[in-house]
Amino acid sequence: MTDQIIAYNKKFVAEKGYEKYITDKYPDKKLAVLSCMDTRLTELLPAALGLKNGDAKIIKNAGGLVISAFDSAMRSLIVAVYELGVEEIMVVAHSHCGACHMSFDHFHHEMIARGVKEETLGTIRQCGIDLNHWLEGFKDTPESVRKTVETIKTHPLMPRDIKVRGFIIDSETGALEEIL
């Protein structure tokens, strides 16, 4: 698959397909969107939000979560605010998310089956990583959105004038529901 992508890329560049995407690093709408990496949202999310290339910083991870105050999603949001001029943040979860009901127990069995040793997991735990928390999903999507919004709003490095709101997007229709 990667070789096919590389071949396509060479043609894309040779035909100057990139020209219609040229913009700078600053989001025109001063917006950052934290959302899930779900493939259903790749084109649906920006289309449903009316965003075009250059409008917003879109940060994606499994579940669209901030799982700790100093994880990579929070780091990206802090950079977006201080370095890129973001003034508003939207947290956008989605219906039928695979991270809902995700658990370390499931991953544990899969990891062992694919060759990860119990000793490796033990070493990770000894380094202070709580794998149960790190790979845990959520059970209640609206509550997950509320928790992520609250973590962002109350982060000690987040300016208080940044607007942060939470939503759930329907994975099929793109309809947004605000979570208060």
Side-chain angles (χ1 to χ4, degrees):
M1 178 51 68
T2 304
D3 289 337
Q4 292 171 356
I5 290 171
I6 292 168
Y8 175 86
N9 177 259
K10 288 180 188 211
K11 182 179 176 196
F12 177 84
V13 173
E15 294 175 357
K16 297 187 179 191
Y18 57 84
E19 288 180 341
K20 68 181 183 179
Y21 301 105
I22 294 174
T23 186
D24 63 26
K25 68 180 184 177
Y26 300 99
D28 293 336
K29 295 188 183 286
K30 299 183 184 304
L31 174 69
V33 179
L34 172 61
S35 190
C36 185
M37 64 184 194
D38 192 291
T39 56
R40 294 170 288 183
L41 302 182
T42 301
E43 292 186 35
L44 178 64
L45 178 71
L49 301 183
L51 299 175
K52 66 180 184 354
N53 196 51
D55 280 347
K57 294 297 176 185
I58 299 180
I59 300 153
K60 293 185 164 208
N61 66 24
L65 305 171
V66 172
I67 58 172
S68 74
F70 294 95
D71 70 6
S72 65
M74 196 67 227
R75 178 180 182 268
S76 295
L77 292 169
I78 294 291
V79 169
V81 167
Y82 287 106
E83 180 65 21
L84 304 170
V86 162
E87 297 174 357
E88 292 189 49
I89 297 170
M90 291 178 72
V91 174
V92 185
H94 67 99
S95 60
H96 314 295
C97 184
C100 192
H101 306 291
M102 194 170 70
S103 74
F104 174 67
D105 287 337
H106 169 76
F107 288 115
H108 180 232
H109 297 293
E110 294 292 320
M111 289 173 183
I112 298 303
R114 299 208 42 196
V116 174
K117 305 273 186 244
E118 282 292 348
E119 304 92 66
T120 302
L121 297 174
T123 300
I124 291 168
R125 286 185 183 104
Q126 288 174 350
C127 292
I129 304 298
D130 179 353
L131 291 172
N132 289 318
H133 176 71
W134 190 62
L135 288 171
E136 188 70 24
F138 50 87
K139 313 254 181 294
D140 180 326
T141 304
E143 185 55 33
S144 171
V145 170
R146 283 186 204 95
K147 183 177 177 185
T148 294
V149 166
E150 187 63 19
T151 300
I152 295 167
K153 282 183 173 182
T154 61
H155 194 281
L157 302 178
M158 184 62 66
R160 298 299 167 239
D161 62 338
I162 299 298
K163 294 177 186 151
V164 185
R165 294 168 67 185
F167 303 86
I168 297 174
I169 189 170
D170 184 292
S171 299
E172 292 179 17
T173 68
L176 279 180
E177 172 191 356
E178 186 161 11
I179 303 302
L180 303 174

